[in-house]
Amino acid sequence: MTARDLGDRAASRGATARKPTMADVARHAGVSLKTVSRVVNQEPHVRASLQERVQAAISALGYRRNEAAARLARGATMLTLGLVMENISNEFYSRLAAAVESAAARYEALVVFGSYEESADKERMLVESMYARGVDSLIVVPSAADHSWLAEHASLTTVFVDRVPPGLESADVVLLDDVRGGRAATEHLLARGHRRIALVSDDEGISSVHDRATGYRAALRAAGLAADDALTVRGLFDPWRVSHEVSRLLDLPDPPTAFFATNNRAAIGILQALRERPERPAYVSFDDFALADVFNPGVTVVRYDTARLARSAVDLLLNPSPSPRRVKVPVELVARGSGELPPS
Amino acid sequence: MTARDLGDRAASRGATARKPTMADVARHAGVSLKTVSRVVNQEPHVRASLQERVQAAISALGYRRNEAAARLARGATMLTLGLVMENISNEFYSRLAAAVESAAARYEALVVFGSYEESADKERMLVESMYARGVDSLIVVPSAADHSWLAEHASLTTVFVDRVPPGLESADVVLLDDVRGGRAATEHLLARGHRRIALVSDDEGISSVHDRATGYRAALRAAGLAADDALTVRGLFDPWRVSHEVSRLLDLPDPPTAFFATNNRAAIGILQALRERPERPAYVSFDDFALADVFNPGVTVVRYDTARLARSAVDLLLNPSPSPRRVKVPVELVARGSGELPPS
């Protein structure tokens, strides 16, 4: 027997006084929830026959339109946080989402999430859509596009994570110590004797990527070396493209002996390239990932505490301040083998 | 300048007519959002001085308690789906979450999510908490505990994914073809000449795990072999424990020459064990994962279309039917190397 069957039985013998929901109306009318929603919200282009069936079900059940809203208003708290990020199936984001969920649970808050897949339009649509549904607080990993439009939603408390939002530079932001991480990774490779260290980057319009690359260049400069454009690859979202570019660099007459990957996607591209090749260059990746220590050699990474990143964001969100704040979460290098290989 | 600054400026010159939110009250009173929520909801144990500050801010701004609810009621649609799962940082769940989000977007619905980490109590708390906030529709990957309590929430439309909920066997469920997948994986290893095939399982109280193991045993039986209890490990949630058990099996006087892993966690445990060992047993994993083809040899897996799994669930959810439905999503074996190794 399903929950639904039990509910119908309970309702038919009047055992419970629960109010009918939109789902009950849909079931009674034999139409989809979406159709009920369209009729209830008086959207255009709903067939007259469907409208009549829904209206008949509404009358029969005594459904009141704002039942869900009323239930929300009755609720003890209304804290629902929105989490807007690039792509939850990328491990950086799934770890972040899990950590935000845990941090929010400490405030008995629920988390609504959405991915925009580097589409600034979709990012904006997600924010608008969360706003329309009564989400008051947002955690956003912003795209590289201008974010001044968020000023329209001044009543939304917003904290940005991992990247500074272009056009809203003085918003509350929780960042990783990206410059230091890029510098530490590069210094680690320099200390093993590497002099031709390639940069496998991403879109440098993303502030965190830019800062990691800045750390890389600072470390080279401090060692009396110049960053070599021929050893830099940028704007690579897809591990397969990274893999192709890494192979191309290894085929140069004077190839790099080491790589610094500015994020987990770049590292996966390097792993894919090396699977097919005889060379054993050293590499260090910004971002830890679950299988990093299962490869042989293990992947040397710049690591940070994702739980701390999330807690900082949630704490800022729920304790608003009139002046903007910037929190920097520390990073550390974890040596596992790939970053300790000597120049060949 | 932050969105907040812009908003304050706009409000002070009366340029916008927006209504004050709980966040505005918190900012004005200089207290946390949680404190405002507690005062507004008349929760006990809030200091009198804080209560007064919040009340003063409410009066000054003209805040109405049910603003968020009113905004929700005004919204064109109110479809918000709840997604309750074990742990979003596991790749099976992050892929599922991304797919549910895409499927929900086709209905202009948002997704609220929560992880219960195999704690049946936390699972129930999550469902109650989503219900209290007006979520009408739920997608649940159920824990192994009894779910008859969900009958109390008969007005919640619920679809279960990946596992049959104990105690609610006739609910709407979208499953993978687990028996067939377990059978196909085992037949694949048998066809390469393996006779001692170990089962690396999980909690067999979880229906999907149970069914995959059933497929494994059926394939052995069809080949005239009996499942060997000495070659079965069960109830292993943690890849490190799996790794330890795999090592123990490989140390047996008559060790297995192949492994069937019932999920990605089990496969990762096998990969960890093999990193430290000279043996090269064959293995097949149920569940694909992002790095499965980066290992050498690539990991042979039983794969399925997560997008289809999610779409089926969302379609059932938004098109309720009086009789329970069960959908089975097909699976396929993808050979990448690890499942094609010969017996040693």
Side-chain angles (χ1 to χ4, degrees):
Chain A
M1 176 167 294
T2 64
R4 186 179 299 154
D5 297 335
L6 287 169
D8 287 344
R9 274 180 29 163
S12 68
R13 62 171 192 264
T16 59
R18 75 173 182 83
K19 290 178 185 158
T21 65
M22 218 186 249
D24 295 321
V25 174
R27 212 171 291 134
H28 194 276
V31 302
S32 73
L33 206 50
K34 178 74 185 159
T35 300
V36 175
S37 169
R38 291 177 65 203
V39 171
V40 163
N41 291 297
Q42 304 178 322
E43 290 180 30
H45 312 305
V46 182
R47 261 191 295 145
S49 61
L50 283 180
Q51 287 201 24
E52 280 162 25
R53 266 158 69 191
V54 172
Q55 290 299 353
I58 286 175
S59 303
L61 298 175
Y63 169 77
R64 284 191 315 122
R65 185 195 168 190
N66 59 346
E67 173 57 19
R71 198 158 63 209
L72 188 68
R74 250 192 347 259
T77 60
M78 291 192 286
L79 292 179
T80 303
L81 311 185
L83 174 61
V84 174
M85 59 205 153
E86 195 196 320
N87 183 353
I88 190 148
S89 63
N90 175 316
E91 190 170 327
F92 169 73
Y93 294 101
S94 62
R95 283 182 179 220
L96 179 66
V100 166
E101 194 206 348
S102 297
R106 295 192 309 151
Y107 293 92
E108 290 164 39
L110 282 181
V111 182
V112 179
F113 71 99
S115 308
Y116 58 82
E117 286 151 37
E118 293 298 354
S119 153
D121 287 346
K122 196 171 172 209
E123 181 192 17
R124 184 164 180 169
M125 211 184 67
L126 269 172
V127 171
E128 306 275 5
S129 167
M130 289 183 178
Y131 184 70
R133 282 172 176 81
V135 169
D136 283 288
S137 298
L138 271 187
I139 294 177
V140 180
V141 182
S143 72
D146 184 89
H147 282 67
S148 51
W149 58 269
L150 250 173
E152 284 169 30
H153 298 299
S155 62
L156 268 174
T157 314
T158 305
V159 171
F160 295 90
V161 168
D162 184 53
R163 308 164 173 186
V164 177
L168 272 181
E169 280 74 9
S170 63
D172 283 344
V173 188
V174 183
L175 298 173
L176 299 171
D177 198 343
D178 295 301
V179 175
R180 186 181 299 259
R183 187 166 176 139
T186 312
E187 285 170 348
H188 190 77
L189 295 165
L190 287 165
R192 268 86 200 154
H194 294 280
R195 288 296 171 271
R196 293 185 59 72
I197 304 172
L199 175 70
V200 186
S201 196
D202 204 316
D203 179 354
E204 289 201 20
I206 297 170
S207 70
S208 53
V209 174
H210 176 269
D211 288 354
R212 293 167 197 178
T214 299
Y216 158 84
R217 285 186 285 264
L220 290 183
R221 214 168 28 244
L225 299 167
D228 183 348
D229 258 359
L231 297 186
T232 300
V233 292
R234 281 199 190 86
L236 301 166
F237 298 122
D238 174 356
W240 288 105
R241 273 193 60 203
V242 177
S243 162
H244 178 83
E245 290 294 305
V246 167
S247 258
R248 188 180 59 73
L249 293 186
L250 289 171
D251 285 333
L252 289 176
D254 193 6
T257 64
F259 291 85
F260 168 49
T262 61
N263 59 26
N264 64 359
R265 271 191 299 230
I268 291 166
I270 292 174
L271 279 159
Q272 276 171 338
L274 297 185
R275 197 195 148 179
E276 313 292 339
R277 308 210 38 128
E279 297 92 343
R280 284 295 161 260
Y283 60 98
V284 178
S285 168
F286 207 107
D287 286 334
D288 202 2
F289 51 101
L291 295 173
D293 60 353
V294 180
F295 285 93
N296 196 357
V299 181
T300 295
V301 300
V302 174
R303 180 169 74 175
Y304 43 85
D305 184 351
T306 306
R308 183 164 166 181
L309 186 67
R311 272 201 313 272
S312 300
V314 171
D315 287 346
L316 290 185
L317 207 52
L318 299 182
N319 298 285
S321 148
S323 50
R325 293 158 295 177
R326 193 163 292 196
V327 174
K328 219 168 245 182
V329 171
V331 300
E332 61 173 344
L333 191 132
V334 183
R336 295 205 183 101
S338 75
E340 293 72 57
L341 296 170
S344 58
Chain B
M1 175 167 295
T2 63
R4 186 177 299 155
D5 297 334
L6 287 168
D8 288 343
R9 275 182 26 162
S12 67
R13 62 170 192 264
T16 59
R18 74 173 181 82
K19 291 178 185 156
T21 65
M22 217 186 253
D24 294 321
V25 174
R27 210 170 292 134
H28 194 277
V31 302
S32 74
L33 206 50
K34 178 73 184 161
T35 300
V36 176
S37 168
R38 291 177 66 203
V39 171
V40 163
N41 291 296
Q42 304 177 322
E43 290 180 30
H45 312 307
V46 182
R47 262 191 294 146
S49 62
L50 283 179
Q51 286 201 25
E52 279 162 26
R53 266 159 70 190
V54 171
Q55 290 299 352
I58 286 175
S59 302
L61 297 174
Y63 170 76
R64 285 192 314 121
R65 183 193 168 191
N66 59 348
E67 173 57 21
R71 198 157 64 208
L72 188 69
R74 253 193 342 260
T77 59
M78 293 191 286
L79 292 179
T80 303
L81 311 184
L83 175 61
V84 174
M85 59 204 153
E86 195 196 321
N87 183 353
I88 191 149
S89 64
N90 176 315
E91 189 170 329
F92 169 74
Y93 295 100
S94 62
R95 283 182 179 220
L96 179 67
V100 165
E101 195 206 346
S102 297
R106 295 191 311 152
Y107 293 92
E108 291 164 37
L110 282 182
V111 181
V112 179
F113 72 100
S115 308
Y116 57 82
E117 286 150 37
E118 292 298 354
S119 153
D121 287 346
K122 196 172 171 206
E123 180 192 16
R124 184 164 179 171
M125 212 185 67
L126 269 172
V127 170
E128 305 276 4
S129 166
M130 290 183 177
Y131 184 71
R133 282 173 176 80
V135 168
D136 283 287
S137 297
L138 272 188
I139 294 177
V140 179
V141 182
S143 72
D146 184 89
H147 282 67
S148 51
W149 57 269
L150 249 173
E152 284 169 30
H153 298 299
S155 62
L156 268 174
T157 313
T158 305
V159 171
F160 296 90
V161 169
D162 184 53
R163 308 165 172 186
V164 177
L168 272 180
E169 281 74 8
S170 64
D172 283 344
V173 187
V174 182
L175 298 174
L176 299 171
D177 199 342
D178 294 302
V179 175
R180 186 182 298 261
R183 187 168 176 137
T186 312
E187 285 170 349
H188 190 77
L189 294 165
L190 287 165
R192 267 88 198 153
H194 294 280
R195 289 294 171 273
R196 292 186 59 71
I197 303 172
L199 175 69
V200 185
S201 196
D202 204 317
D203 179 354
E204 289 201 20
I206 297 171
S207 70
S208 54
V209 174
H210 176 269
D211 288 355
R212 293 167 197 177
T214 299
Y216 158 85
R217 286 186 285 264
L220 290 182
R221 214 167 29 244
L225 299 168
D228 183 348
D229 258 359
L231 298 186
T232 300
V233 291
R234 282 200 189 87
L236 302 166
F237 297 123
D238 173 357
W240 287 105
R241 273 193 58 202
V242 177
S243 163
H244 178 81
E245 290 295 305
V246 167
S247 257
R248 188 181 59 73
L249 293 186
L250 289 172
D251 285 333
L252 289 175
D254 193 7
T257 63
F259 292 84
F260 168 49
T262 61
N263 60 27
N264 64 359
R265 272 191 297 230
I268 291 165
I270 293 174
L271 279 159
Q272 276 171 337
L274 296 184
R275 198 196 146 177
E276 313 292 338
R277 309 215 29 135
E279 297 93 343
R280 285 294 162 260
Y283 60 99
V284 178
S285 168
F286 207 107
D287 287 335
D288 202 3
F289 50 100
L291 295 173
D293 60 354
V294 180
F295 285 94
N296 196 359
V299 181
T300 295
V301 300
V302 174
R303 180 170 73 177
Y304 43 85
D305 183 351
T306 307
R308 183 164 165 182
L309 187 67
R311 271 201 313 272
S312 300
V314 171
D315 287 346
L316 290 185
L317 207 52
L318 299 183
N319 299 284
S321 147
S323 50
R325 294 157 294 178
R326 195 163 290 198
V327 174
K328 220 167 243 182
V329 171
V331 300
E332 61 171 346
L333 192 132
V334 183
R336 295 205 182 102
S338 76
E340 294 72 57
L341 296 169
S344 58

